[in-house]
Every structure is written in C-alpha cells, then in structure tokens.
C-alpha cells in the first residue's frame, strides 16, 4: 500500500505539478531521475518570441474580474499549448505577455528555431480568433535570435529556468514595435529563417 501511494504521489508531482512550471523535457528527465538543477547557466544560441494582447490593459477597466480572468486564461493557455506542440518552452507569463524560447532546454537547429517561432506567431492569431469577438482583441508578436545565457537562476528556495541577455531584450522591444496581425523579426532571425517564409523590410 505504501509503495502504491508513493507511485501515485510521484506521478502526481511530475505530471500535474512540475508540468505547470517546467518545460516538458525537464519534467521527463525529473521523472527518470536524470534531472539536476545544480548545473551552471550556459551560453546558447536561441530564438525568443514575445507576444501580448493589444489594448488589454484598457479593456480590463471596463470588464469585471471574472471576465478579465476568463479572457486572459484562454489567451495564455492557447499560446502555451501551441508553443508546446511546436517544441517551444514557455519561459514566463507577465500579465498578458508571454515569453517563449526555442532551442532550450531542447536543442534544435537555428533553422528549426526560427521556423517554429514564426509558425507560433501565426498560431497566436488563431488563438485570438477564439476569444470573444466583441472586444476586438489583437496581439503583437516579436521574435529575435541570438546568444543568451540559459539555466536556473535564483536561490535554493526559489529559482526559475529562464533565458537572459541582449537577444531577449531585443525580442521584447521588437514585440513592442510590431503591429497586430504581423510578425516582427530581428536580423539574425531573418538570416536563419527558411526561404519559404515571405519577409518584408520594416522601417
């Protein structure tokens, strides 16, 4: 009975708790007893996507708390599900903003990173289409590729697996400068983006 209960607890922690906070690949390694959180952060070439809802802050003033939470939950959940399907890692939610990383912790080529990030950008528009249309919501998307420091940052009592560096900051600025319904990508992303994507210079 004790062994059986431990098995249920182990499964609950790995499948229902850790998956909410860690990338799926890290959870699988944790379940297999292969995950170590003590390693030092490392430099890696990654592709970062930022997205957020346009006008959502203003909209929240006219919506009640429950309606606001419902819309936000659908948006964040839809973006996270799409990111996971494409092999991306949801780094964090900040209000109505989502940061997704391609290339960490799971390695992939730069062509794969940029291609999947752009795919996610267009899937975000599909997520928006599922939200209540009376609010006329839209989303900005910015993508950048470059070297960043990847790993666990924090203390022994609280830490986050995240990505930091200039490449991340630029991705966030590209998102702010983007226009709804389109995807603004950085120069390094353009270099590695597969030729099947049509690209246009912006400003």
């Amino acid at each position: 009975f004790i062994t059986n209960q431990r098995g249920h607890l182990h499964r609950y922690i790995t499948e229902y708790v850790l998956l909410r906070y860690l990338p799926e690949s890290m959870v699988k390694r944790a379940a297999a007893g292969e995950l170590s959180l003590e390693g030092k952060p490392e430099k890696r070439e990654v592709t970062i996507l930022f997205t957020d809802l346009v006008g959502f802050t203003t909209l929240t003033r006219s919506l009640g708390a429950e309606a606001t939470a419902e819309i936000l939950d659908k948006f964040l959940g839809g973006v996270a599900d799409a990111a996971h399907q494409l092999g991306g890692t949801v780094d964090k939610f900040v209000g109505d903003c989502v940061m997704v990383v391609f290339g960490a912790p799971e390695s992939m080529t730069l062509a794969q990173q940029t291609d999947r990030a752009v795919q996610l950008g267009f899937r975000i528009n599909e997520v928006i289409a599922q939200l209540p249309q009376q609010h006329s919501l839209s989303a900005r998307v910015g993508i950048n590729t470059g070297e960043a420091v990847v790993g666990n940052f924090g203390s022994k009592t609280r830490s986050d697996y995240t990505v930091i560096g200039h490449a991340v900051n630029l991705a966030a600025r590209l998102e702010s400068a983007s226009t709804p319904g389109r995807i603004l990508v950085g120069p390094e992303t353009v270099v590695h983006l597969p030729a099947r994507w049509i690209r246009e210079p912006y400003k």
Side-chain angles (χ1 to χ4, degrees):
F1 174 79
I2 293 175
T3 301
N4 188 43
Q5 290 301 306
R6 284 176 176 170
H8 283 302
L9 179 61
H10 176 75
R11 181 180 178 185
Y12 174 78
I13 291 174
T14 55
E15 295 186 10
Y16 299 102
V17 178
L18 292 182
L19 273 175
R20 290 175 177 264
Y21 302 100
L22 295 174
E24 184 177 4
S25 59
M26 294 183 71
V27 174
K28 288 180 178 179
R29 287 163 55 195
E34 301 171 351
L35 179 65
S36 173
L37 299 178
E38 304 303 322
K40 292 183 178 180
E42 60 179 355
K43 289 184 179 180
R44 191 182 293 192
E45 292 282 335
V46 295
T47 297
I48 307 102
L49 176 148
F50 276 89
T51 184
D52 79 337
L53 289 170
V54 178
F56 185 72
T57 302
T58 302
L59 182 64
T60 58
R61 296 170 187 165
S62 60
L63 293 176
E66 291 184 358
T68 299
E70 183 178 354
I71 292 174
L72 192 58
D73 195 49
K74 287 182 178 179
F75 175 67
L76 299 179
V79 174
D81 289 345
H84 288 156
Q85 291 169 8
L86 291 166
T89 298
V90 177
D91 186 290
K92 60 175 63 72
F93 298 131
V94 182
D96 62 322
C97 178
V98 188
M99 173 182 168
V100 180
V101 179
F102 290 88
E106 288 296 306
S107 297
M108 58 180 75
T109 66
L110 291 174
Q112 289 174 324
Q113 292 179 25
T114 55
D115 182 60
R116 295 182 187 187
V118 171
Q119 286 187 57
L120 176 58
F122 284 107
R123 286 202 190 181
I124 289 170
N125 290 330
E126 297 175 8
V127 172
I128 293 294
Q130 301 302 314
L131 300 179
Q133 295 302 299
Q134 68 267 29
H135 302 308
S136 301
L137 291 170
S138 58
R140 289 187 297 256
V141 177
I143 299 172
N144 190 51
T145 302
E147 186 178 79
V149 181
V150 180
N152 291 288
F153 295 86
S155 67
K156 291 183 178 180
T157 56
R158 179 70 171 89
S159 65
D160 283 325
Y161 181 86
T162 190
V163 180
I164 61 173
H166 176 68
V168 180
N169 299 336
L170 182 53
R173 293 180 182 181
L174 288 170
E175 182 270 318
S176 297
S178 185
T179 55
R182 309 191 77 180
I183 300 169
L184 187 57
V185 302
E188 287 301 312
T189 303
V190 172
V191 169
H192 299 286
L193 189 64
R196 69 189 183 91
W197 293 107
I198 298 174
R199 59 209 82 186
E200 301 174 0
Y202 183 67
K203 295 186 180 180

